[in-house]
Amino acid sequence: MGALFYFYLMKAIVLPEKYARPSYVEVPQPVKSDEMETLSVKTCALNHRDLWIMKGQYAGLKYPIIPGSDACAYRGSERVVINPGMFWGVDERVQDKQFQILGLPMDGTFAERVNVPADNIYPAPEHLDDAEAAAIGLAGVTAFRALVSRCMPVQGERLLVTGIGGGVALFVLQIGLAFGLEVYVTSSRPEKLNKALAMGASGGVLYSTPEWETNLKERCSEGFDIIVDGYAGASFAKLVQLARPGGRIAVYGGTGGKMSDIVPQQIFWKQISIYGSTMGSQDDFAGFLALVNEKKLKPVIDSVYRLQNTDAAFQRMESQDQFGKIVLRVSDI
Ligand SMILES: NC(=O)c1ccc[n+]([C@@H]2O[C@H](COP(=O)([O-])OP(=O)(O)OC[C@H]3O[C@@H](n4cnc5c(N)ncnc54)[C@H](OP(=O)(O)O)[C@@H]3O)[C@@H](O)[C@H]2O)c1
């Protein structure tokens, strides 16, 4: 009896309760059902969402939970990736009430096995290694919907991406370049600006300096056609100022909290469109994957940790030292 039970255990990362650090434990394997496929996880990747859940700052919290939305995994012998946005529904404009993101409330990918709806499983791009394939899902689909589906970029337009060290932001930069946009970025660190320039950005400023907005205005006096922002907060008002007449701004995150001091005249007189954007539909994910395959896009990998060292990976994300995706290696097989 005991031996049989042991057979069904797996290694996983569990967040046991609010504020508790991630712990590496043995838990029962997910139970197969008609609606779900059980995948064997090879690699998985962190998103800021996993940190928010650990800190108890996310809607619909539930503990204990196995976090994780992204993975490169195997379905039998097929190498696959996951669209972590599940049950979007039929309306491309907005997700259904049933919509969920893998890793809360359903157990996620920081484990040897994970259950995923069959519709959310896609062939892994062949040009990506296991770490790269794990890194594309959540950040990639969020970036694709925010920039492409919401803002509908036109070749030659000027794009501003805030906080370029972030996982989503880096995909926005890559997708923007693939669409032939002239891309500018902001960051907290000069070395991150330099890396973005090496990837093809036309310029960047440090948002940590008080004159960042003036610096951008000096370089791009006509303003930006498109701005993609995951920070919000008080600095969002400056993004509204930096948008050119007829400009579009997509907001996918709110790390900086409430937006304040926005001058309404700058929105209505300049005919600015502000788009909220969350994750993406199956069409968004398929569109993103097609672009990754066509342009042979590769995600920027900051670092790779073993699953048992997940706490160190969380600390890396908390430090904000990262440039790109933080990956966890679950299995060496
Ligand atoms: N709605 C959705 O579907 C969705 C999907 C994914 C993420 N999000 C949200 O989007 C945010 C970013 O997620 P992520 O996974 O990309 O995070 P991440 O990889 O941890 O990156 C966070 C980035 O925020 C940037 N940042 C910090 N302070 C900033 C400021 N004052 N101004 C501009 N940027 C600043 C930093 O950029 P530098 O390193 O360059 O300084 C940092 O790298 C989070 O709030 C997350 O919850 C939402």
Side-chain angles (χ1 to χ4, degrees), residues 47 95 110 124 166 183:
N47 290 288
Q95 67 275 26
F110 293 2
V183 189

Side-chain angles (χ1 to χ4, degrees), residues 8 15 35 122 181 192 205 264 273-274:
Y8 290 107
L15 297 174
E35 298 81 39
Y122 293 77
L181 307 184
K192 295 189 185 186
V205 298
S273 301
I274 299 178

Side-chain angles (χ1 to χ4, degrees), residues 46-52 58 99 101 138-139 141-143 161-170 186-189 192-193 207-208 212 229-232 235 251-256 277-280 317-318 320-326:
L46 261 68
N47 290 288
H48 213 98
R49 173 176 198 267
D50 307 309
L51 264 192
W52 293 134
Y58 210 85
F99 179 75
I101 303 171
L138 190 148
V141 73
T142 304
V161 191
T162 60
I164 198 60
V168 179
L170 272 165
T186 72
S187 185
S188 53
R189 316 264 169 94
K192 295 189 185 186
L193 291 182
Y207 63 68
S208 41
W212 69 270
D229 177 50
Y231 187 77
S235 55
V251 186
Y252 64 86
T255 312
S277 195
T278 280
M279 302 289 291
M317 185 169 260
E318 288 169 294
Q320 274 202 40
D321 287 338
Q322 86 274 18
F323 185 82
K325 298 294 293 180
I326 300 167

